[in-house]
mmCIF file of all heavy atoms in Angstrom:
data_model
loop_
_atom_site.group_PDB
_atom_site.id
_atom_site.type_symbol
_atom_site.label_atom_id
_atom_site.label_comp_id
_atom_site.label_asym_id
_atom_site.label_seq_id
_atom_site.Cartn_x
_atom_site.Cartn_y
_atom_site.Cartn_z
ATOM 1 N N VAL A 363 -6.532 21.849 -11.622
ATOM 2 C CA VAL A 363 -5.333 22.689 -11.642
ATOM 3 C C VAL A 363 -4.425 22.231 -12.839
ATOM 4 O O VAL A 363 -3.975 23.021 -13.611
ATOM 5 C CB VAL A 363 -4.540 22.588 -10.320
ATOM 6 C CG1 VAL A 363 -3.255 23.360 -10.394
ATOM 7 C CG2 VAL A 363 -5.437 23.085 -9.177
ATOM 8 N N MET A 367 -3.477 24.464 -16.100
ATOM 9 C CA MET A 367 -2.068 24.784 -16.426
ATOM 10 C C MET A 367 -1.689 24.249 -17.814
ATOM 11 O O MET A 367 -1.041 24.933 -18.585
ATOM 12 C CB MET A 367 -1.173 24.257 -15.343
ATOM 13 C CG MET A 367 -1.316 24.984 -14.031
ATOM 14 S SD MET A 367 -0.250 24.324 -12.730
ATOM 15 C CE MET A 367 1.332 24.798 -13.249
ATOM 16 N N VAL A 370 -3.039 26.443 -20.462
ATOM 17 C CA VAL A 370 -2.284 27.704 -20.613
ATOM 18 C C VAL A 370 -0.961 27.399 -21.325
ATOM 19 O O VAL A 370 -0.533 28.138 -22.253
ATOM 20 C CB VAL A 370 -2.009 28.363 -19.249
ATOM 21 C CG1 VAL A 370 -1.110 29.567 -19.374
ATOM 22 C CG2 VAL A 370 -3.325 28.778 -18.571
ATOM 23 N N MET A 371 -0.333 26.257 -20.926
ATOM 24 C CA MET A 371 0.993 25.916 -21.585
ATOM 25 C C MET A 371 0.778 25.736 -23.065
ATOM 26 O O MET A 371 1.631 26.051 -23.889
ATOM 27 C CB MET A 371 1.534 24.604 -20.976
ATOM 28 C CG MET A 371 2.194 24.858 -19.617
ATOM 29 S SD MET A 371 2.661 23.264 -18.918
ATOM 30 C CE MET A 371 2.965 23.736 -17.263
ATOM 31 N N PHE A 412 1.938 38.290 -7.261
ATOM 32 C CA PHE A 412 2.459 36.946 -7.439
ATOM 33 C C PHE A 412 4.006 36.882 -7.265
ATOM 34 O O PHE A 412 4.710 37.794 -7.745
ATOM 35 C CB PHE A 412 2.056 36.374 -8.813
ATOM 36 C CG PHE A 412 0.560 36.152 -8.895
ATOM 37 C CD1 PHE A 412 -0.255 36.994 -9.694
ATOM 38 C CD2 PHE A 412 -0.012 35.100 -8.252
ATOM 39 C CE1 PHE A 412 -1.620 36.823 -9.713
ATOM 40 C CE2 PHE A 412 -1.447 34.906 -8.319
ATOM 41 C CZ PHE A 412 -2.189 35.782 -9.054
ATOM 42 N N GLY A 546 1.440 28.124 -3.499
ATOM 43 C CA GLY A 546 0.588 27.246 -4.342
ATOM 44 C C GLY A 546 0.624 25.779 -4.021
ATOM 45 O O GLY A 546 -0.386 25.118 -4.020
ATOM 46 N N GLY A 551 -2.012 23.130 -5.593
ATOM 47 C CA GLY A 551 -1.570 23.860 -6.781
ATOM 48 C C GLY A 551 -0.108 23.579 -7.048
ATOM 49 O O GLY A 551 0.484 22.653 -6.448
ATOM 50 N N PRO A 552 0.507 24.398 -7.928
ATOM 51 C CA PRO A 552 1.893 24.099 -8.356
ATOM 52 C C PRO A 552 2.921 24.641 -7.424
ATOM 53 O O PRO A 552 2.730 25.576 -6.687
ATOM 54 C CB PRO A 552 1.952 24.875 -9.718
ATOM 55 C CG PRO A 552 1.004 26.019 -9.488
ATOM 56 C CD PRO A 552 -0.114 25.512 -8.661
ATOM 57 N N LYS A 553 4.117 23.987 -7.464
ATOM 58 C CA LYS A 553 5.281 24.498 -6.745
ATOM 59 C C LYS A 553 5.808 25.707 -7.595
ATOM 60 O O LYS A 553 5.574 25.765 -8.771
ATOM 61 C CB LYS A 553 6.309 23.393 -6.650
ATOM 62 C CG LYS A 553 5.849 22.236 -5.798
ATOM 63 C CD LYS A 553 6.734 21.052 -5.884
ATOM 64 C CE LYS A 553 6.244 19.888 -5.017
ATOM 65 N NZ LYS A 553 4.923 19.407 -5.351
ATOM 66 N N GLY A 554 6.506 26.562 -6.857
ATOM 67 C CA GLY A 554 7.137 27.706 -7.613
ATOM 68 C C GLY A 554 6.186 28.874 -7.856
ATOM 69 O O GLY A 554 6.423 29.696 -8.721
ATOM 70 N N CYS A 555 5.056 28.923 -7.109
ATOM 71 C CA CYS A 555 4.233 30.130 -7.212
ATOM 72 C C CYS A 555 3.654 30.475 -5.872
ATOM 73 O O CYS A 555 3.102 29.606 -5.191
ATOM 74 C CB CYS A 555 3.110 29.900 -8.245
ATOM 75 S SG CYS A 555 2.152 31.418 -8.493
ATOM 76 N N GLY A 556 3.816 31.684 -5.458
ATOM 77 C CA GLY A 556 3.292 32.147 -4.189
ATOM 78 C C GLY A 556 2.632 33.520 -4.369
ATOM 79 O O GLY A 556 2.626 34.024 -5.474
ATOM 80 N N ASN A 585 5.316 33.813 -14.187
ATOM 81 C CA ASN A 585 5.134 32.355 -14.330
ATOM 82 C C ASN A 585 3.615 32.188 -14.596
ATOM 83 O O ASN A 585 2.864 31.837 -13.669
ATOM 84 C CB ASN A 585 5.580 31.729 -13.032
ATOM 85 C CG ASN A 585 5.178 30.240 -12.942
ATOM 86 O OD1 ASN A 585 4.720 29.619 -13.884
ATOM 87 N ND2 ASN A 585 5.453 29.699 -11.792
ATOM 88 N N ILE A 586 3.213 32.352 -15.876
ATOM 89 C CA ILE A 586 1.766 32.364 -16.176
ATOM 90 C C ILE A 586 1.071 31.050 -15.869
ATOM 91 O O ILE A 586 -0.086 31.011 -15.470
ATOM 92 C CB ILE A 586 1.436 32.843 -17.577
ATOM 93 C CG1 ILE A 586 2.148 32.027 -18.625
ATOM 94 C CG2 ILE A 586 1.678 34.316 -17.763
ATOM 95 C CD1 ILE A 586 1.702 32.347 -20.037
ATOM 96 N N TYR A 587 1.854 29.951 -16.006
ATOM 97 C CA TYR A 587 1.250 28.608 -15.748
ATOM 98 C C TYR A 587 0.990 28.470 -14.275
ATOM 99 O O TYR A 587 -0.054 28.026 -13.798
ATOM 100 C CB TYR A 587 2.159 27.470 -16.239
ATOM 101 C CG TYR A 587 2.953 27.835 -17.422
ATOM 102 C CD1 TYR A 587 4.364 28.071 -17.350
ATOM 103 C CD2 TYR A 587 2.342 28.061 -18.643
ATOM 104 C CE1 TYR A 587 5.073 28.498 -18.432
ATOM 105 C CE2 TYR A 587 3.098 28.466 -19.754
ATOM 106 C CZ TYR A 587 4.422 28.693 -19.644
ATOM 107 O OH TYR A 587 5.134 29.081 -20.717
ATOM 108 N N GLY A 588 2.046 28.835 -13.480
ATOM 109 C CA GLY A 588 1.954 28.749 -12.054
ATOM 110 C C GLY A 588 0.859 29.662 -11.508
ATOM 111 O O GLY A 588 0.095 29.249 -10.618
ATOM 112 N N ILE A 589 0.795 30.865 -12.044
ATOM 113 C CA ILE A 589 -0.242 31.807 -11.551
ATOM 114 C C ILE A 589 -1.608 31.339 -11.857
ATOM 115 O O ILE A 589 -2.538 31.371 -10.962
ATOM 116 C CB ILE A 589 0.063 33.208 -12.235
ATOM 117 C CG1 ILE A 589 1.345 33.812 -11.637
ATOM 118 C CG2 ILE A 589 -1.125 34.140 -12.076
ATOM 119 C CD1 ILE A 589 1.854 35.033 -12.342
ATOM 120 N N SER A 590 -1.842 30.761 -13.045
ATOM 121 C CA SER A 590 -3.162 30.250 -13.351
ATOM 122 C C SER A 590 -3.497 29.030 -12.472
ATOM 123 O O SER A 590 -4.617 28.835 -12.038
ATOM 124 C CB SER A 590 -3.333 29.939 -14.847
ATOM 125 O OG SER A 590 -2.503 28.779 -15.133
ATOM 126 N N GLY A 591 -2.438 28.222 -12.223
ATOM 127 C CA GLY A 591 -2.616 27.048 -11.359
ATOM 128 C C GLY A 591 -2.925 27.484 -9.939
ATOM 129 O O GLY A 591 -3.760 26.864 -9.248
ATOM 130 N N PHE A 592 -2.219 28.486 -9.455
ATOM 131 C CA PHE A 592 -2.454 28.934 -8.092
ATOM 132 C C PHE A 592 -3.886 29.382 -7.889
ATOM 133 O O PHE A 592 -4.601 28.974 -6.940
ATOM 134 C CB PHE A 592 -1.512 30.157 -7.770
ATOM 135 C CG PHE A 592 -1.599 30.610 -6.342
ATOM 136 C CD1 PHE A 592 -0.525 30.368 -5.452
ATOM 137 C CD2 PHE A 592 -2.712 31.272 -5.821
ATOM 138 C CE1 PHE A 592 -0.600 30.787 -4.117
ATOM 139 C CE2 PHE A 592 -2.806 31.678 -4.519
ATOM 140 C CZ PHE A 592 -1.753 31.445 -3.644
ATOM 141 N N ALA A 593 -4.395 30.206 -8.840
ATOM 142 C CA ALA A 593 -5.776 30.711 -8.724
ATOM 143 C C ALA A 593 -6.800 29.612 -8.812
ATOM 144 O O ALA A 593 -7.767 29.577 -8.093
ATOM 145 C CB ALA A 593 -6.040 31.759 -9.839
ATOM 146 N N THR A 594 -6.539 28.615 -9.685
ATOM 147 C CA THR A 594 -7.471 27.513 -9.804
ATOM 148 C C THR A 594 -7.478 26.670 -8.581
ATOM 149 O O THR A 594 -8.542 26.217 -8.075
ATOM 150 C CB THR A 594 -7.090 26.630 -11.079
ATOM 151 O OG1 THR A 594 -6.995 27.535 -12.177
ATOM 152 C CG2 THR A 594 -8.158 25.576 -11.373
#
Side-chain angles (χ1 to χ4, degrees):
V363 175
M367 291 177 70
V370 174
M371 282 175 194
F412 291 105
K553 295 169 181 59
C555 186
N585 170 7
I586 55 172
Y587 329 108
I589 289 171
S590 68
F592 186 109
T594 307

